[in-house]
Amino acid sequence: MTLPHDHAQTIAHVLIEALPYIRRFRGKTMVIKYGGNAMVDDVLKEGFARDVVLMKMVGINPVIVHGGGPQIGSLLKRLGKTSEFVQGMRVTDAETMDVVEMVLGGLVNKEIVYFLNRHGGSAVGLTGKDGDLIRARKMFLKRDAPELKEPEIIDIGHVGEVESIDPSILNMLVNGNFIPVIAPIGVGADGRSYNINADLVAGKIAQVLKAEKLLLLTNIAGLLDADGTLIQDLDVGRVKTLIAEGVIHGGMLPKIQCALDAVQSGVKTAHIIDGRVEHAVMLDLFTDTGVGTLIRSR
């Protein structure tokens, strides 16, 4: 079958533009936080799987950390259990934690593995409990208000933060040509399971693996300035200024903080990219323009 000349030229241009990036990133590790619309839209799920498999086939080492909040909420609702949030964190009692493990470590994780393997990859799903990958400690929230003499400490149950990462199992899988797919569940010194924010887990894993890039898929175009215009490139100093000015606030703040921590700990760059765009990962890695906001140390 002969392609129309213009179409063939377009394909050639795309491949030529991608070549220096493939050469530059070959052998490097990319940690991708997978969530939002990209995880629930069938077209986007297929596109993401193809992107990741292509990365592996050209010699890049993708490591995926995924979320699953909407899926957890949906199953809890079907079980007649109301979801409760404090400061954006899901209150997680023992019964809810069982559902979290079932959804993240089972349903969501294995679906991602299935899509990757169906498109020619060799993916392996695991949680932070496998191979003692993620050691967690219990998270406590603080509430400070004028009427309180001192901050109130709030216990939200089985919600944790990363205490340490042992990358041994990830290194073994990557060196064996597998694609690790990680559910953000850790285990504490008390033997209990803890649900951890997927952005935070992805950032910590990127640091420990000395990743070239950390990619955080979101449901927005990237970081927007006060006028609603996309900011394409930021260094640490500018980020801190935008936080102080209140431009970065709300749900974007922890995501930006995660990216900041990563680039200040040796990860070359962090990218907040629009997961609603088909093939967003490929567009960010292999084109001159990219999609979203890039954060670098300087």
Side-chain angles (χ1 to χ4, degrees):
M1 176 177 154
T2 304
L3 291 173
H5 183 266
D6 288 349
H7 184 46
Q9 287 290 334
T10 300
I11 293 173
H13 176 76
V14 169
L15 292 173
I16 290 168
E17 184 176 347
L19 182 59
Y21 295 101
I22 293 172
R23 186 182 296 119
R24 174 181 169 190
F25 297 138
R26 186 171 179 81
K28 305 292 186 180
T29 297
M30 309 286 181
V31 176
I32 307 168
K33 187 273 176 157
Y34 180 44
N37 279 28
M39 280 185 65
V40 296
D41 180 282
D42 287 340
V43 172
L44 295 177
K45 285 192 285 189
E46 295 278 1
F48 177 80
R50 290 191 184 102
D51 288 357
V52 172
V53 171
L54 177 60
M55 288 171 66
K56 191 68 176 177
M57 286 183 171
V58 299
I60 299 168
N61 297 318
V63 175
I64 300 167
V65 179
H66 65 83
Q71 293 91 333
I72 293 168
S74 177
L75 183 53
L76 286 171
K77 185 177 181 180
R78 284 163 52 194
L79 295 172
K81 194 171 179 66
T82 303
S83 294
E84 181 185 352
F85 293 87
V86 176
Q87 296 178 19
M89 297 288 187
R90 187 187 302 275
V91 177
T92 309
D93 58 16
E95 185 180 31
T96 301
M97 189 64 220
D98 288 342
V99 172
V100 168
E101 289 207 71
M102 182 166 48
V103 173
L104 291 185
L107 297 173
V108 174
N109 189 274
K110 300 316 170 194
E111 182 186 60
I112 298 167
V113 167
Y114 161 74
F115 273 106
L116 291 169
N117 290 345
R118 195 177 84 177
H119 287 290
S122 296
V124 175
L126 61 160
T127 76
K129 297 170 74 173
D130 295 307
D132 210 22
L133 171 60
I134 305 172
R135 279 283 177 174
R137 56 176 172 261
K138 186 178 177 68
M139 175 185 284
F140 292 95
L141 299 180
K142 289 184 180 181
R143 185 174 77 89
D144 205 353
E147 67 272 15
L148 299 175
K149 293 181 179 179
E150 57 184 36
E152 177 186 6
I153 305 300
I154 305 171
D155 185 346
I156 53 174
H158 291 251
V159 177
E161 52 191 352
V162 176
E163 183 173 76
S164 64
I165 301 282
D166 182 348
S168 303
I169 190 169
L170 298 181
N171 289 328
M172 181 184 71
L173 290 171
V174 168
N175 292 334
N177 210 34
F178 292 98
I179 302 169
V181 180
I182 305 158
I185 298 166
V187 62
D190 55 6
R192 294 183 178 181
S193 298
Y194 288 95
N195 183 20
I196 310 173
N197 178 279
D199 290 332
L200 298 179
V201 171
K204 293 295 184 183
I205 287 176
Q207 293 174 37
V208 170
L209 293 179
K210 296 179 173 56
E212 179 78 11
K213 291 178 182 288
L214 167 65
L215 290 86
L216 303 171
L217 271 68
T218 68
N219 280 344
I220 60 173
L223 181 61
L224 307 179
D225 65 17
D227 298 321
T229 303
L230 176 67
I231 303 172
Q232 293 185 309
D233 194 345
L234 283 170
D235 61 20
V236 171
R238 178 91 189 282
V239 171
K240 291 180 177 178
T241 299
L242 292 173
I243 292 173
E245 293 173 348
V247 174
I248 301 173
H249 63 280
M252 183 57 76
L253 193 54
K255 199 175 291 287
I256 291 290
Q257 191 60 58
C258 160
L260 264 185
D261 291 344
V263 298
Q264 289 180 306
S265 300
V267 178
K268 293 288 181 63
T269 56
H271 303 242
I272 297 173
I273 63 177
D274 192 345
R276 301 169 302 175
V277 176
E278 192 175 358
H279 299 298
V281 173
M282 284 296 96
L283 291 170
D284 190 73
L285 288 179
F286 295 148
T287 67
D288 294 333
T289 53
V291 287
T293 300
L294 178 149
I295 299 172
R296 51 195 169 77
S297 58
R298 61 181 184 274

